[in-house]
Amino acid sequence: MSNYAVAMEAAWLVRDVEETDDAIGVAVSEAGKRLNETDKQYVEVEPGVTGCPACGEPFDAAFLAANTALVGLLLEIDVFNADSEEHAERIAKSEVGGALRDVPLEVIDVMETEADDEEESDGSAR
């Protein structure tokens, strides 16, 4: 069994905003609140980034039209004792998806992580 860091992208809809920075703040806050309410404080929530189609430079993943924004969020979670990368993906989507119902999620990266020395010695997981 291995430990994995799983990164997911979420699409968050924010209504009644006039600035993309406000929309990003609201999206991060609302996602964090919903995760905290379901005891998922261990999920990291950050604004997503996307590359400029012309120059490739990264910029905030937010689109604003008619005072409504679609904000891309980056969600990261550590999964312990998974059988494989696919198993870690399923666990992560289940954990986060249960808290963020009706929010589209897509796994964008899965990376195997090193086990802590403490875990190796006693076989436990956090």
Side-chain angles (χ1 to χ4, degrees):
M1 298 231 175
S2 299
N3 301 333
Y4 296 90
V6 181
M8 292 177 283
E9 185 176 50
W12 200 276
L13 193 63
V14 180
R15 299 180 192 282
D16 299 322
V17 290
E18 295 180 10
E19 304 282 331
T20 55
D21 287 341
D22 293 340
I24 291 168
V26 169
V28 169
S29 177
E30 287 178 355
K33 180 180 176 185
R34 284 178 55 184
L35 288 163
N36 288 339
E37 287 173 351
T38 56
D39 295 325
K40 306 264 186 299
Q41 296 90 342
Y42 48 85
V43 179
E44 292 183 37
V45 181
E46 299 175 12
V49 293
T50 189
C52 173
C55 67
E57 288 293 313
F59 62 92
D60 292 331
F63 178 76
L64 182 64
N67 291 340
T68 302
L70 178 62
V71 179
L73 296 177
L74 177 64
L75 308 171
E76 295 180 357
I77 183 173
D78 291 325
V79 177
F80 301 98
N81 297 324
D83 294 329
S84 64
E85 285 188 11
E86 294 79 20
H87 186 218
E89 283 183 30
R90 288 193 309 272
I91 292 169
K93 284 183 90 169
S94 174
E95 285 287 309
V96 175
L100 303 180
R101 296 221 181 271
D102 301 323
V103 175
L105 295 173
E106 181 180 335
V107 174
I108 56 174
D109 190 28
V110 178
M111 209 166 63
E112 189 169 355
T113 58
E114 297 290 323
D116 291 343
D117 292 336
E118 198 175 291
E119 288 179 17
E120 289 176 357
S121 63
D122 67 8
S124 65
R126 286 186 264 168

